Amino acid sequence: MDQDLHGGEHATAPISRLVAEVAAQCPGERITLGEMAEAFGGRAFGLLILMLCLPGLLPGMASVFGTPMLILGVQMGLGFRKPKLPGFIARQSLKRSDVLRLTAGADTRVSRALARIERWVRPRPGPFTAPFADKVVGWLTAYAALMLILPGPGTNGPPAFGTIVMALGVVENDSKVVGLGMALTFLGNLFATVVLLALLWFGMEALGYVF
């Protein structure tokens, strides 16, 4: 598929319906990131970042899903129109059952929350859906991915939450939601950075007492 980031045949499809279509196209027990990137077409960046960010919040999984997020964020920041995943990233996969939990017919807490969000998020082009804003989203996502990868108490949640909001806005071409997500991601990244720097300072002070 050669749609641009906000165009193509799925440009206005609700997220849950698009995810259901992708799951139908990939009937195996697991769906690789490469398959999703191809199926999502012009909305691959936003949808892949969203789907990687959610499991990235689970204990022990942040570094696993943070690395693909970092690569996607850098590519988006550099102005790529579609993801170009390295083979070892493209072969990583999610359980098909987990992907289907995002669809409208799943009747899970995640799908119900997504359905409520979809009623509010809608296509609203504006300054935060312009190509330059896409690059800012990419670099903010890359920074948030680093915060997921680096160990620190309470440093995963705030950046990840903002990134999820940004990704939803990118997927639905909603300038207002992207702008809100940018602000939340910036603040979340700032919080995580301060915590990590404080831990580094305390660690160096402790080493100074020991040696």
Side-chain angles (χ1 to χ4, degrees), residues 143 147 154-156 158-159 187-198:
Y143 200 119
M147 297 300 99
T155 58
N156 287 1
L187 292 173
N189 287 342
L190 180 62
F191 168 79
T193 301
V194 170
V195 171
L196 290 172
L197 288 176

Side-chain angles (χ1 to χ4, degrees), residues 47-59 61-62 65 69 94 98 101-102 110 114 148 160-161 163-165 168:
L47 281 161
L48 283 174
I49 290 169
L50 174 64
M51 298 187 72
L52 288 169
C53 209
L54 291 172
L57 293 174
L58 298 175
M61 300 303 291
F65 292 98
M69 270 183 59
L94 298 172
D98 290 339
R101 292 178 64 183
L102 295 174
V110 174
L114 189 56
L148 290 177
F161 178 74
T163 305
I164 288 169
V165 175
L168 286 170

Side-chain angles (χ1 to χ4, degrees), residues 66 69-74 137-147 189:
M69 270 183 59
L70 176 62
I71 292 174
L72 289 169
V74 170
V137 168
W139 292 120
L140 285 171
T141 298
Y143 200 119
L146 286 175
M147 297 300 99
N189 287 342

Side-chain angles (χ1 to χ4, degrees), residues 167-186:
L168 286 170
V170 169
V171 170
E172 295 293 356
N173 198 27
D174 190 329
S175 180
K176 290 185 177 181
V177 173
V178 173
L180 174 62
M182 284 180 174
L184 292 172
T185 306
F186 174 80

